Each structure stands twice: as structure tokens, then as C-alpha cells.
Amino acid sequence: MAVQFRCSDVGVACRHVTRAETPEALVAAVAEHAKARHGVTLNDTLVDYAVTKVRPARE
Ligand SMILES: [Zn+2]
């Protein structure tokens, strides 16, 4: 099941939507995006919060 994460769902002013095939890959991709675009390194707390905002991807 593909999944997606929107920065805007966690209150970040960013229109980026990260998509991946698995939640694990998604978290890794979101962490990469957060570091590259927002200068934020996801710690365990932020990862746990981000996971609650993961949604099934709709085509
Ligand atoms: Zn973003």
C-alpha cells in the first residue's frame, strides 16, 4: 500500500507531498526532505508524530 505525508499536515508551511511504497520508506524520505528543505533533523519524537500523519496515497 502506497502512503503519503504532507508537510502541511504537521503545520509546516510547505506544499510538498512525500510518497513512498511503505511506511518505513516514507519516514526515511520525509526525514530526508525535512533535513534538506527545512533544516530539521527528525528525532524519535518527531518521527512518532510524523507517523501519525501518514495517510494511504490516493491516485
Ligand atoms: Zn516540506
Side-chain angles (χ1 to χ4, degrees), residues 8-56:
S8 59
D9 284 349
V10 293
V12 178
C14 171
R15 302 173 73 91
H16 187 78
V17 180
T18 305
R19 291 189 179 84
E21 292 306 313
T22 66
E24 292 77 16
L26 183 66
V27 167
V30 168
E32 208 167 283
H33 168 79
K35 186 127 201 307
R37 298 292 295 277
H38 303 297
V40 172
T41 300
L42 296 191
N43 60 25
D44 289 348
T45 302
L46 288 172
V47 167
D48 286 348
Y49 181 55
V51 165
T52 69
K53 300 297 184 181
V54 170
R55 303 276 183 257

